[in-house]
Amino acid sequence: MLHLTINGLRVTVPEGTTILDAARSADIPIPTLCHHPKLTPYGGCRLCIVEVKGINRPVTSCTTPVAADMEVATTTPAIERMRKTILELILSDHPNDCMVCEKAGDCTLQELAYFYGVSDNRFEGERRCYTGKDHNPFIGRDMEKCILCGKCVRVCEEVQGVGAIDIAYRGFNAKICPPFEKDLSCEFCGQCVSVCPTGALTGKAWTQRGRQKDVREIDTTCPYCGCGCSLTLHVRRNEIVRVSSRDDTINEGWLCPKGRFGYTFVHSRDRLKTPLIKEKGVHREASWDEALDLIASRLSKIGKKHGPDAIGGLSSARCTNEENYLFQKFMRAVIGTNNVDHCARL
Amino acid sequence: MAGLATVFGSGAMTNSIPEIENNDLLFVIGSNTTETHPIIGLRMKKAYRRGAQIIVADPRKIDLVRFSAIWLQHRPGTDVALLNAIMHVLLKEKLIDKQFIADRTEGFDAFKKSIEDITPEKAEKITGVPAKDIVKAALLYGKAKRPAIYYTMGITQHSHGTQNVFSVANLALMTGNLGKESTGVNPLRGQNNVQGATDMGCIPNQYPGYQRVDVPAIRQKFAEAWSTELSPKPGLTATEMVLAAHEGSLKALYIMGENPMISDPDMQHTKKALQSLDFLVVQDIFMTETARLADVVLPSSCFAEKEGTFTNTERRLQKVRRAVTPPGLAREDSSIIMDIAGRLGSEMRYNCMEEVLQEIGGLWPAVAGVTYGRLEEAGLQWPCPTPDHPGTPYLFKGGFPRGKAAFTPVSFEPSKELPDADYPFILTTGRQLFQYHTGSMTRRVPELNEVAPEAYIEIHPDDARELGADDGEMLRVSSRRGSIKLKARISDRPARGLVFIPFHYHEAAANMLTNAELDPVCKIPELKVCAVRVEKETGR
Amino acid sequence: MKSSLTIRICMGTGGIAAGGADVMAVFADQLATKGIRADIRKHCSIHKVGCRGLCAKDVLVDVIRNGDKTTYQYIKPDMVERIIEEHVVGGNPVQEWAVGEDYHQFHDKQIKVVLSDCGNINPEDIDSYISAGGYSALEQAVKMTPAETIALIKKSGLRGRGGAGFPTGVKWEICRSVDASQKYIICNADEGDPGAFMDRSVIEGNPHAVIEGMTVGAVAIGADKGYVYIRAEYPLAVERLRNALKQARERSFLGKNILGSGINFDIRVKLGAGAFVCGEETALIASIEGLRGMPRAKPPFPVYKGLWGKPTVINNVETLANIPHIIRKGAEWYASFGTEKSKGTKVFALTGKIRNSGLIEVPMGIPLREIIFDIGGGIENNRKIKAVQTGGPSGGCIPAELLDITVDFESLARVGSIVGSGGMVVLDETDCMVNIAKFFLQFTQSESCGKCVPCRIGTKRLLEILERVTAGKGRLGDIELLESLANDIKATSLCGLGQTAPNPVLSTIKYFRDEFEAHITKKKCPAGVCRDLLSFVVLKDFCKGCGACKRVCPAGAITGERKQTHAIDPEVCVKCGACFDACKFKAIGKG
């Protein structure tokens, strides 16, 4: 364990901890845009600079490991001025169209601009202008809003192991894109979307479906494969408008394309909305009472005539534990047969 | 799961998902993990980044091969031969855990005899995997400190699937790689709550918690709890029910949220069977291929419309919460069941779903400590017997439920249907990333369909050249049971002579072709191997 | 004395560009037809040599006849016949083509260590290097302990020649002390500063010296693999380097069991794809690893975690080329050159408005004035010197008033510039300092890797402010804005590129603030460079009405009858300056 002081406060952390993590462990805030706790430190946005006694230039706290007896100052007039300069620079090349941006209210850049009060910008000049749109169905890429924090590149490489995007070109023209600036053609896991601090990467399905303030968030569990990822459903007016995931569960906040983008079946027009009874080969709408009475009487008759083992029940891996329990209990205790199974083998 | 339960006395993943990243070796056999279990795939990649080595044994060059130290491309259905040869090498190299074998297992000597002459060279002839690769893989596994085996349906969906599972278990037992953190045998369950459905007793021979229906004391316990008489006779499995329907002994079927028309092998046969029922009830959220055949269709609720719990592949119970209301008159499955039970004169009344969980906990101690309150923050992995128990990330720390774990000598048996002159290709089926199971959900998500719109057959470039088929060209694929047409996807993923079709697409259903041959123990169909003919589709 | 004949033809990139290959072919051809080779037998040799510095006078040819050397300058193929006739055959050097006093003056104040063999030995022949003492340092080094070698280099005071001036011996010592199974040594030959060609000339002229220095270093730190990261734009250097590596392997100076010592070391050549930032060591490492060449934060420094996470020493070409000399001649000898803190010599690429532009090697601590006026021969066209820009795009401008400072790490830093990799651009009164700053900013901005905000966007905004100043759209406060932004970029950028990119701006503001002010407040460019601030007028008193200006004007802005005073329409004028150049009577006023 190493001892250091941050803003005069004594902090003890394990060796190898970065200044940023040490500060955050002591609840001392340091602004960042390119940092993500699960990705390799990058040191690109430069907002996390701090002063370290004995070092003659500011250091990035996200990349600098603590040393014994280090004296760190996270906020000084000089540091705050430089942070503001950096934000001014970023905003001097950003559309600043927050009023129509999908990310407004949930945007790290917007929040920092607010806290640093960047209202009149000393810098102006050329802005990147990208007219090309990416035609993939999932991920909206508005690269004019990209601040090149590189989180998407890192998550794609380090977490997803795909490497579908990287930085191309140099200087002011640097941009993040798939090879040869083609449309994205990847696994569409959307990990990049989940880490993007601005509105550069968004889910196309979310567009104009509601801002954060209108949305209720409900944590639940994914209905697809057996991984059991936790999902947060964003609901507005009884409609799921977006899916995200908390990062403190077994899936660590990562999702696959089905989990992240495959929720719209819930509101499909094909959903069954009423009981149906088949008559002369054709299904007709029926009331619940009518349908359930019919089922009860037919099952009862068949059970009486052929014995309970002439009735079988197939339960579902899509249903909850409670429903499955009730179903097998129904088959065993009510119908009287052990003919109950589900699709475990398929 | 029957296989693992036989060996250990309990069948589930022995370890948890977070433990994957601390494996120093991952042996992934018969699992296209990055597509079927993408997030577990991420943990595997994380382990790789942390220095773990990965052995992939798969007939196809799956994505995980990119991260593998070695890839064993064995012929489909030859897993036992491959595993036996690996164990042969471990035996020869003395990379076995004698202490573990002596203390915690039984039947080693007979097993040892059974693999003594299964040399890598012999296995090479059967599996097509070079003997030196088998040796290399064996050494990697044998020398690893925290190795774990991962498998999915590539191991189980065979006529000898149980044998495959025994073989996997033997490998872990002889090396003592069980009962430790980040070390074990991990079947990855394919569907969100397939573990839970099994746990809850939706299997014909076991009540909730793997308690056998043919053991009187157990039956007595359930009979008392449910205040009724219970049948001692084990029931029919899903595939057996279809057979029974076909031959007329099963008259009525109540299907809740399943689509056997697409998921079961030999679709024509399934359809005939369901049509010959006197009465079919299907309770689902969509008009599935199966629901179309039903006498009564009941609209139910999807995951976002109800309260409850799912149990994922690592035995973790997690909350499902209601986010929106069901459409139209649709109701929750639980209330429908309770309603029908009431009409049949049996009260099944619960005020809330947590009462159901409480009842389960009373009958199955492994979940007795689980409450909804405890699931608020994160899930709990069973066994969790008491309210203060933290759950169990990995199994068998102290011992196996059946006492000593049993070695089972397994000898290689070929798949039931092998290629011949008429049907020269081996067909294997599976999933792809953008679709799910029978497609009833994912095929209604327009974005997913845009990137994965239609069925295809993966075929090796050399085979395609011989057929004169171009990428994207329509091919007709036929087996002894049926015929479908779909587009060629020329790819070096399958070996020569092997073709792959994802089974999600009803319009070109892979299960028109597959063989309904069952594993004699757990009744799983042989979906991973059948013989097919591939031709260019002409004229139409 | 036996009669002998040696002809050396400068075949560095500069020599070849000036036609060296043709000159050499003609020499070979004519000597053969005249049967001279037969006459003098084996004592006749023609060889190509590397750059000897004074590139401005290429093609340079030495004819050494029976020990007497005459150096010819500006030689073209059609001049060869006369040299052979009169000098080689007749024994009378062609004096009118021989180099003059300035050539000798150019060399007299130089002390050549790194460049000592360049221009003398044949860079494509290992024996030529060995006969000049080559590889004896390696033979010595494999017999010394690593600690002895490191102590020697430390004692010599050698500091890195790539820019930062870190003591080489200390770097080696740290790397030696790190416990690791694998270590690397990398030669940084990604010379990217505009106008700098020191490293290229060294590798072209004497590639074995770099290989030898690198191998000594590898033995000292315990590396068994090395890389030379060299720009693909240096094809001749790459070719000669590869050839030299092959030869060194054949002679057991490289490869397994070097000189029977049991030590293994080999070198691979990695071509850079032309990114300036790849000269930054962490970006260079990323590039070798196959990644996009982008720097990463330090610490950890490469000596602890470098190439593929292993301890790595990265030395510049010139640094490594010094090593064999230090081993051979001793630390004291090397330390006898230079100042107390800056030892040895330094190679500079002297360019700009100077008579003798070319490559020079001088002892550290030499007064800047001596470099400019004695070695460089003063300013072209007898104009007034305005400043010397040193250190390339990372450096600064030293105004003429400070010409008496000495050239070493410390004193250049004191005046706001750097030694850097050794670029030295001389500026005269016709150079606009705002424009110079803009030029370097254009370079650094377009070469920024884009990773960090201050460099990517900050240099762009700096550049844009400079652009508007030179376009006459400068605003009051722009100088302060430039200074403020420049300082923030320096303080907050990730790597050396961004941290130094504002230097040309800050040092020009520091010494030439009045020029900035003139651009902004008076909308005038005192040097008459910034086109948007110029206006061209016909001076009535001088105009003869010849019509020359009218004929060359591309915009049709000039009107006037013959023999009448002409006039320029400022609305139409595109300020190209063609009229100014065309007028024989100095009747076009510019300002």
Side-chain angles (χ1 to χ4, degrees), chain B residues 384-404:
Chain B
C384 176
T386 56
D388 54 357
H389 191 284
T392 309
Y394 62 97
L395 298 177
F396 315 139
K397 190 177 180 181
F400 298 105
R402 74 185 293 278
K404 286 193 170 188

Side-chain angles (χ1 to χ4, degrees), chain C residues 403-437:
Chain C
L403 271 188
D404 289 315
I405 62 159
T406 57
V407 175
D408 55 71
F409 290 116
E410 286 70 30
S411 61
L412 288 194
R414 259 196 305 278
V415 299
S417 188
I418 56 169
V419 173
S421 59
M424 198 173 266
V425 185
V426 179
L427 308 169
D428 71 12
E429 58 198 353
T430 64
D431 288 307
C432 167
M433 298 314 286
V434 186
N435 195 49
I436 292 289

Side-chain angles (χ1 to χ4, degrees), chain B residues 127-175:
Chain B
T127 62
V129 178
K132 65 170 178 35
D133 287 353
I134 297 178
V135 174
K136 186 179 169 193
L139 296 180
L140 279 174
Y141 181 82
K143 290 179 177 169
K145 289 197 177 64
R146 293 178 308 279
I149 306 169
Y150 299 89
Y151 67 86
T152 316
M153 295 302 190
I155 280 290
T156 53
Q157 282 180 345
H158 293 278
S159 56
H160 47 265
T162 308
Q163 307 284 316
N164 285 351
V165 174
F166 286 152
S167 216
V168 167
N170 289 341
L171 176 58
L173 285 175
M174 76 188 292
T175 48

Side-chain angles (χ1 to χ4, degrees), chain A residues 46 81 85 126 169 171-172, chain C residues 292 445 448 460 488 492:
Chain A
R46 318 304 290 173
R81 192 202 69 237
T85 300
E126 187 187 338
Y169 305 107
F172 190 70
Chain C
R292 176 178 162 92
Q445 156 57 213
S448 163
K460 174 75 176 174
D488 284 351
T492 59

Side-chain angles (χ1 to χ4, degrees), chain A residues 41-46 49 57-58 60 63-65 78 81-83 85-87 89-93 122-128 146-149 166-174, chain C residues 273-276 292 294-300 444-454 456-458 460-461 464-465 468 475 481 484-485 487-495 499:
Chain A
Y42 191 65
C45 74
R46 318 304 290 173
I49 48 171
R57 59 162 55 244
T60 42
T63 61
T64 310
R81 192 202 69 237
M82 286 188 261
R83 285 181 184 150
T85 300
I86 290 164
L87 286 169
L89 288 172
I90 295 173
L91 292 169
S92 74
D93 183 29
R122 290 176 296 158
F123 308 113
E124 62 189 317
E126 187 187 338
R127 287 183 179 188
R128 292 163 299 161
C146 172
I147 57 166
L148 280 101
C149 69
D166 204 341
I167 300 177
Y169 305 107
R170 290 180 207 161
F172 190 70
N173 299 321
Chain C
F276 177 64
R292 176 178 162 92
M294 294 213 291
R296 59 159 176 74
K298 296 185 276 192
T444 38
Q445 156 57 213
S446 64
E447 289 295 339
S448 163
C449 78
K451 180 169 177 174
C452 75
V453 174
R456 182 180 75 246
I457 310 178
K460 174 75 176 174
R461 298 297 173 239
E464 286 170 336
I465 298 169
R468 73 176 181 237
R475 305 165 194 167
L481 188 58
S484 164
L485 177 56
N487 281 317
D488 284 351
I489 294 170
K490 269 174 80 93
T492 59
S493 286
L494 171 62
C495 81
Q499 288 163 8

Side-chain angles (χ1 to χ4, degrees), chain C residues 77-88:
Chain C
D78 57 12
M79 297 158 80
V80 171
E81 190 173 357
R82 187 173 155 200
I83 294 174
I84 291 178
E85 289 278 320
E86 295 182 14
H87 187 178
V88 174

